[in-house]
Amino acid sequence: MTLDIAIAPDPDLDAEDAEVAETREWIEALDEVIEVQGPERAQYLLKKLEERGHERALDLPFTANTPYVNTIPRSAQPPYPGDRQLERRIKSLIRWNAMAMVVRANKQHEGLGGHISTFASAATLYQVGMNHFFRGRGDGGFGGDLIYFQGHASPGIYAQAFLEGRLSEERLTRFRLELAPGGGLSSYPHPWLMPEFWEYPTVSMGLGPISAIYQARFNRYLHDRGIADTSGRHVWCFVGDGETDEPESLGAISLAARERLDNLIFVINCNLQRLDGPVRGNGKIIQELETVFRGAGWNVIKVIWGDDWDPLLERDESGLLVKRMNEVVDGQYQKYTVESGDFIRRDFFGKYPELLALVEDLPDKKLERMRRGGHDPEKVYAAYRRAVDHPGQPTVILAKTIKGYGLGEAGEGRNVTHQQKKLNEDELRGFRDRFDIPIPDHRLAEAPFYRPPEDSEEIRYLTERRRALGGYVPSRKVKTAPLAVPERDLYQDFFGGIQRPVSTTMAFVQMLAKLLKDKEIGDHIVPIVPDEARTFGMESLFRQCGIYSSVGQVYEPVDAKMLLYYKEAKDGQILEEGITEAGSMASFTAAGTAYATHGVDMIPFFIFYSMFGFQRIGDLIWAFGDQRGRGFLLGATSGRTTLNGEGLQHEDGHSHVLAATVPNLCAYDPAFAYEIAVIVRDGLRRMYCEREDVFYYVTLCNENYEMPAMPEGAEEGILRGLYKLRPAPELGGRQEAAGGRPRAHLFGSGPLLNGALRAQEILAERYGVAADVWSATSYKELRREALAAERWNLLHPNEEPRVPYVTRVLAGEEGPVVAVSDYMKLVPDQIARWVPGGLFTLGTDGFGRSDTRAALRRFFEVDAEHVVLATLGQLARRGALDPAVPRRAIAELGIDAEKSDPLVT
Ligand SMILES: Cc1ncc(C[n+]2csc(CCOP(=O)(O)OP(=O)(O)O)c2C)c(N)n1
Ligand SMILES: [Mg+2]
């Protein structure tokens, strides 16, 4: 629904209007108020009328839409501060080089890919920013604006950096040839690949927008807590109109309005197309987004029409032009892009004779070239200016553009344009002529790059503009000074063991509380939780640190009289994000990359329901790795059988499989408090002292048991992923003397380590088997190290082979190894090929159930009895035991051999 301000003498409306003269009088009265008393008075009167209508119970029409015209009329446009001609020449060169980069890459290497049409549509949106708005990092290196570039607009950003002299011509020839000597340019923004250039990985659609929102909020958080002055920094997020279909793109916009993030600007490039075709062929994406953003409380600025349309709009007294603009759908607007002026005249203006009359003086060629707002620098400048100055709300700019602008027949507005990577000589000529690029005919076919001389007007202007705005963007810099992380003392309680039964979650929360009090790093810690703090026993932290709220606490909490009341505060430290794992992860990202964005070390601990971590927001975690983020992810209530009553959707038996996929993630499944202490301590050292680009995933559980003291010398093994926890009990006596008992090894992790310890006793007492129990804290770490050794051996066949840690520690050991995990069998299986004598794995493959822990562990065949049976079976297979023993054990241990397979049940 659109609001139609144009009434008289609209034929359609008048037909419905029983009292035309009366309607006119009302409209004229309004006009008079606007002209004589000004727009504010007019707004006031309309508001009063609306209120009156509500009082009289009128069913008032609602629409969040405004007409399909620019939000800022020509009369309200500020003067353009730049040299339009010169800026156009610079922009044209950037267009050319961006296009040439893709064309050349694909000419040389069929199938390299790349995108021409996205940047072609967005060039003006970026150039106005580059010349007048985007502030660089400044002298200190950690100021300026935070800009999320649309991922597949990267060629344009490289082309800008080429003119700036930051990227050489050779480098441009290696776009998407990153492995070539000298290094190439990454396809998209990846800080992992170009750590001094790209800051924010955006190319997985939807991640840019949600990250930008939480980034803008985190900037406020840092400011409100007095950690960094972020007051002058704007967050700009460039988004594709098709990209807004991703739930992450729009899913957090209400937070931005609620938090009054006027430091946030979205620029949505509405070229009306996505990859396959129109975004909303039968509707209007700009109007749809306008309702969504206005409804959420954003300041919306539409930039639809270029200045060619202004005189027509001003001359159109009938209101029919706006009516026609409102009624045409995007699919048809796209058609006008590829059609002739004659067609536009007939199809668009021809609907109403008055409109035909309006354009009768304009030749077809002119109609063909009537620009869209997003290609008009003055319109874009006006929108940016207003967005930057707008107080109290985030702003979204909805800019209408043409996909593949300037490609002509080669792709402009065509449904295939997204995939266009090659232009023939004629098409290159067309592009050159349209943008006046000084490339001679004889060189056209090779699509050469062009950079004007250093002392040319263009280069001097562009260099001066960036200097005035504080330096080049994008540009990434990091804090390198080490942080003083806590010594062993802080963890002493955990090394010594906890005699009462507690869970690893409780132990961790106690540790976090201590860390928060540490005078060196306490203030830098950012606890993040998506509405599960009570589940994890963290409510004591509410009072200790406060929950961050940009407005403090403007109500009296119901539990105000209690010790641990729900305390919100402007300088609160905890980010209690509500039920949004994606939002929490975006906060984690802003915090975990603050060392690069703001030059301050923040240490985020994001604690979540483990099932809703990797499984749900794995792509954000992947991007965090790309962005070289640092911090601790804590998957609480984990373990398929340890979280018992919650059933199939909650019980996590696979996050460690998913964690195995992220290259720079260290993943641990600890059993005891001291293991967590060792892991957290070393993690802080590696990330914040050694400044390694790694981050951590630690699973925590809610089963209570006593936490033993750390055995002597266990630390190295805990970090490497495996150490011997409890050797087989010495039985002494007859059996020992008679040539030794069969020997075996049990690997356990998390709470299932306790089952392995029980199995050890059963094996010793009932079957005379001596089994050593090992704590396997990280199969991922073991595998990483073993793969490195194996690779080295492959590449150095003549040198003494390296022996992986896991093989080394098991070298002198005798007997089979049985691993038991509360995760899928794949998790321990990761290391099977380096276990001398082989590995037999018990794990929790299959969908979970709600039941008791004991029942679940029996169902998934991971309880102590199954560990015993597996061990006996392995011994019998090796001839170390009579095969009758495991057969007998099935009955003795009460195992049902015919029960259903949990994997398929
Ligand atoms: C999550 C995700 N899904 C799919 C893609 C593949 N993809 C890349 S560009 C594109 C179309 C983008 O359309 P739009 O957002 O309108 O951007 P435009 O190029 O039109 O500016 C798609 C589907 C992706 N990059 N990320
Ligand atoms: Mg698009």
Side-chain angles (χ1 to χ4, degrees):
M1 269 248 299
T2 54
L3 178 73
D4 248 318
I5 49 166
I7 298 181
D10 179 326
D12 290 351
L13 272 180
D14 282 358
E16 295 162 14
D17 193 344
E19 298 289 348
V20 176
E22 187 187 40
T23 309
R24 262 203 206 119
E25 267 174 40
W26 279 77
I27 289 171
E28 280 163 18
L30 179 67
D31 285 348
E32 199 179 308
V33 173
I34 296 172
E35 271 148 41
V36 178
Q37 292 172 276
E40 276 167 27
R41 175 70 188 155
Q43 274 166 351
Y44 178 80
L45 285 176
L46 286 173
K47 195 174 108 213
K48 281 281 148 196
L49 283 175
E50 193 184 343
E51 278 172 21
R52 187 70 184 154
H54 285 301
E55 276 167 27
R56 303 297 307 267
L58 278 190
D59 189 8
L60 293 175
F62 170 78
T63 174
N65 268 137
T66 60
Y68 198 59
V69 292
N70 296 342
T71 305
I72 304 172
R74 175 150 74 172
S75 57
Q77 270 174 233
Y80 195 78
D83 181 332
R84 282 282 312 273
Q85 287 312 316
L86 200 46
E87 287 187 17
R88 180 177 187 269
R89 292 215 301 275
I90 295 168
K91 181 168 66 183
S92 297
L93 295 177
I94 292 173
R95 286 181 182 286
W96 173 268
N97 289 319
M99 175 277 296
M101 199 180 314
V102 179
V103 169
R104 289 172 61 133
N106 286 278
K107 210 174 331 207
Q108 282 172 35
H109 306 275
E110 179 78 34
L112 266 190
H115 301 86
I116 302 173
S117 63
T118 298
F119 179 74
S121 70
T124 301
L125 302 178
Y126 287 117
Q127 281 305 296
V128 172
M130 288 288 189
N131 288 325
H132 302 289
F133 290 95
F134 302 161
R135 270 159 315 159
R137 286 174 162 255
D139 293 339
F142 292 108
D145 290 347
L146 291 64
I147 306 163
Y148 291 68
F149 294 98
Q150 212 184 328
H152 42 292
S154 60
I157 313 307
Y158 291 139
Q160 164 95 21
F162 169 59
L163 288 199
E164 290 166 350
R166 295 202 290 154
L167 293 176
S168 67
E169 181 166 342
E170 293 70 47
R171 200 86 192 273
L172 254 56
T173 61
R174 297 194 295 267
F175 173 58
R176 293 191 171 221
L177 292 169
E178 296 181 76
L179 305 178
L185 297 175
S186 66
S187 49
Y188 302 114
H190 294 300
W192 187 261
L193 304 172
M194 293 176 66
E196 282 159 21
F197 192 85
W198 294 117
E199 302 169 86
Y200 310 106
T202 48
V203 78
S204 178
M205 310 213 139
L207 304 194
I210 192 169
S211 301
I213 290 173
Y214 281 87
Q215 178 72 64
R217 208 275 301 252
F218 193 73
N219 288 6
R220 287 283 164 78
Y221 167 92
L222 287 178
H223 197 87
D224 287 343
R225 290 194 54 214
I227 291 175
D229 179 359
T230 62
S231 52
R233 310 188 70 180
H234 277 95
V235 177
W236 297 78
C237 183
F238 287 82
V239 186
D241 50 356
E243 182 174 9
T244 61
D245 283 338
E246 289 286 359
E248 289 90 343
S249 300
L250 302 181
I253 61 171
S254 59
L255 170 102
R258 194 186 323 133
E259 293 291 311
R260 302 159 61 86
L261 298 178
D262 53 15
N263 57 343
L264 176 66
I265 299 165
F266 270 24
V267 180
I268 305 188
N269 177 17
C270 297
N271 55 27
L272 313 187
Q273 290 178 243
R274 43 182 164 76
L275 194 154
D276 285 341
V279 176
R280 292 289 183 275
N282 295 314
K284 288 226 266 300
I285 187 65
I286 290 179
Q287 297 301 85
E288 184 178 322
L289 291 173
E290 178 182 38
T291 61
V292 173
F293 279 94
R294 284 187 84 198
W298 285 52
N299 175 40
V300 177
I301 303 175
K302 296 195 289 193
V303 183
I304 301 179
W305 308 106
D307 60 357
D308 306 305
W309 295 85
D310 286 331
L312 295 185
L313 283 162
E314 283 157 18
R315 272 180 21 230
D316 172 42
E317 287 174 1
S318 67
L320 285 171
L321 181 56
V322 177
K323 180 176 167 56
R324 186 69 186 134
M325 287 169 164
N326 281 337
E327 69 195 13
V328 172
V329 294
D330 282 355
Q332 201 66 12
Y333 278 119
Q334 186 189 343
K335 189 162 170 66
Y336 299 145
T337 302
V338 304
E339 281 290 352
S340 64
D342 172 52
F343 179 86
I344 297 168
R345 187 184 306 279
R346 277 186 284 116
D347 196 87
F348 182 79
F349 297 99
K351 172 94 185 274
Y352 304 113
E354 291 89 337
L355 294 187
L356 275 180
L358 200 62
V359 293
E360 67 191 357
D361 295 339
L362 299 180
D364 286 352
K365 272 277 160 261
K366 171 76 184 168
L367 293 186
E368 235 172 85
R369 288 272 176 110
M370 302 265 286
R371 270 188 310 178
R372 291 185 181 172
H375 296 297
D376 182 334
E378 300 201 9
K379 305 287 184 205
V380 173
Y381 178 85
Y384 286 6
R385 181 81 268 148
R386 191 176 276 193
V388 167
D389 295 341
H390 184 82
Q393 281 179 303
T395 292
V396 59
I397 292 162
L398 302 172
K400 184 164 170 169
T401 62
I402 287 173
K403 190 144 178 169
Y405 187 69
L407 291 182
E409 303 274 309
E412 194 172 78
R414 305 285 198 281
N415 277 340
V416 295
T417 191
H418 190 85
Q419 309 286 71
Q420 179 61 285
K421 303 173 197 331
K422 291 181 180 171
L423 300 190
N424 62 31
E425 202 170 328
D426 277 348
E427 291 162 344
L428 287 167
R429 184 175 297 106
F431 197 101
R432 179 201 64 181
D433 293 347
R434 173 135 181 207
F435 296 112
D436 307 315
I437 312 293
I439 304 277
D441 278 344
H442 71 275
R443 294 201 57 203
L444 262 181
E446 56 181 287
F449 294 120
Y450 181 80
R451 183 171 188 266
E454 203 60 43
D455 61 354
S456 63
E457 261 192 303
E458 289 88 343
I459 299 297
R460 278 188 292 133
Y461 185 89
L462 168 141
T463 310
E464 189 283 321
R465 287 282 71 219
R466 289 315 315 160
R467 195 193 49 72
L469 286 161
Y472 297 120
V473 292
S475 143
R476 186 174 175 276
K477 190 181 160 167
V478 300
K479 173 180 183 285
T480 51
L483 193 67
V485 300
E487 296 299 327
R488 291 180 66 91
D489 300 358
L490 185 137
Y491 306 95
Q492 222 41 275
D493 290 354
F494 308 100
F495 293 151
I498 304 173
Q499 277 66 44
R500 72 203 137 81
V502 294
S503 65
T504 45
T505 307
M506 287 157 77
F508 164 76
V509 172
Q510 282 173 25
M511 208 175 300
L512 182 61
K514 275 182 186 289
L515 287 166
L516 281 160
K517 286 183 187 142
D518 182 80
K519 54 181 193 318
E520 292 291 339
I521 68 162
D523 282 348
H524 294 254
I525 289 174
V526 186
I528 304 170
V529 60
D531 198 33
E532 294 285 356
R534 291 182 201 278
T535 314
F536 308 144
M538 288 171 69
E539 57 270 44
S540 63
L541 297 183
F542 290 168
R543 176 68 197 279
Q544 183 184 327
C545 317
I547 294 165
Y548 172 70
S549 155
S550 56
V551 294
Q553 194 158 33
V554 296
Y555 61 95
E556 189 186 337
V558 282
D559 48 3
K561 294 204 172 60
M562 292 162 76
L563 187 63
L564 302 179
Y565 73 96
Y566 196 84
K567 179 182 162 196
E568 298 195 64
K570 190 152 180 175
D571 62 353
Q573 193 164 356
I574 300 170
L575 289 174
E576 158 63 90
E577 298 293 18
I579 310 168
T580 167
E581 283 75 15
S584 303
M585 188 63 207
S587 279
F588 184 75
T589 305
T593 56
Y595 74 96
T597 318
H598 300 286
V600 293
D601 280 316
M602 300 307 286
I603 310 171
F605 285 85
F606 170 24
I607 184 163
F608 51 88
Y609 224 113
S610 77
M611 193 67 153
F612 307 127
F614 281 83
Q615 171 160 288
R616 189 166 182 127
I617 51 161
D619 203 18
L620 278 160
I621 297 174
W622 180 262
F624 185 85
D626 180 351
Q627 208 174 331
R628 299 168 179 264
R630 292 161 194 176
F632 293 91
L633 295 170
L634 300 137
T637 53
S638 75
R640 184 100 72 208
T641 68
T642 304
L643 176 65
N644 53 337
E646 293 291 328
L648 184 153
Q649 185 70 65
H650 287 66
E651 290 162 3
D652 169 28
H654 54 278
S655 65
H656 275 291
V657 176
L658 302 173
T661 61
V662 183
N664 53 348
L665 176 71
C666 307
Y668 287 92
D669 182 12
F672 300 128
Y674 67 77
E675 293 180 351
I676 303 174
V678 169
I679 294 160
V680 168
R681 176 167 177 251
D682 197 59
L684 288 173
R685 182 190 65 78
R686 287 182 67 189
M687 292 187 285
Y688 295 93
C689 282
E690 306 300 327
R691 311 212 68 86
E692 289 184 50
D693 287 320
V694 294
F695 65 116
Y696 281 71
Y697 178 52
V698 182
T699 41
L700 301 173
C701 297
N702 65 348
E703 183 173 354
N704 295 335
Y705 46 86
E706 276 184 30
M707 297 288 158
M710 179 158 71
E712 193 88 12
E715 270 177 78
E716 187 195 350
I718 293 171
L719 296 173
R720 283 174 169 268
L722 183 71
Y723 67 99
K724 195 183 279 190
L725 176 68
R726 197 208 279 168
E730 295 297 330
L731 288 183
R734 215 161 25 91
Q735 236 176 347
E736 212 74 61
R741 300 169 285 164
R743 298 203 65 95
H745 298 273
L746 311 179
F747 290 0
S749 318
L752 294 202
L753 188 52
N754 294 317
L757 288 167
R758 256 198 333 280
Q760 179 186 51
E761 286 166 16
I762 301 172
L763 282 164
E765 288 164 13
R766 294 172 66 175
Y767 299 98
V769 173
D772 293 347
V773 172
W774 303 65
S775 175
T777 49
S778 177
Y779 290 104
K780 185 173 198 264
E781 284 300 306
L782 292 172
R783 180 177 173 83
R784 186 207 311 269
E785 194 267 350
L787 284 175
E790 193 176 78
R791 175 177 175 275
W792 194 88
N793 294 342
L794 176 73
L795 297 172
H796 304 85
N798 296 328
E799 306 200 31
E800 190 178 337
R802 293 182 180 169
V803 183
Y805 169 80
V806 54
T807 312
R808 212 162 60 232
V809 292
L810 292 170
E813 307 288 359
E814 197 191 310
V817 178
V818 172
V820 60
S821 171
D822 214 4
Y823 291 85
M824 290 170 66
K825 293 174 179 145
L826 260 177
V827 175
D829 282 347
Q830 291 183 75
I831 62 156
R833 76 171 180 267
W834 300 286
V835 176
L839 177 74
F840 187 86
T841 303
L842 300 174
T844 56
D845 296 51
F847 284 122
R849 296 284 194 287
S850 42
D851 209 311
T852 63
R853 286 192 184 112
L856 288 175
R857 288 172 185 167
R858 178 51 59 103
F859 174 74
F860 280 105
E861 300 156 17
V862 292
D863 57 6
E865 288 74 12
H866 279 86
V867 177
V868 170
L869 179 62
T871 311
L872 297 175
Q874 291 302 303
L875 286 167
R877 290 191 64 173
R878 296 157 163 251
L881 260 189
D882 180 347
V885 178
R887 262 204 311 273
R888 217 176 53 225
I890 288 184
E892 287 166 359
L893 298 167
I895 290 173
D896 173 6
E898 302 315 317
K899 87 179 243 302
S900 55
D901 179 351
L903 180 55
V904 295
T905 319

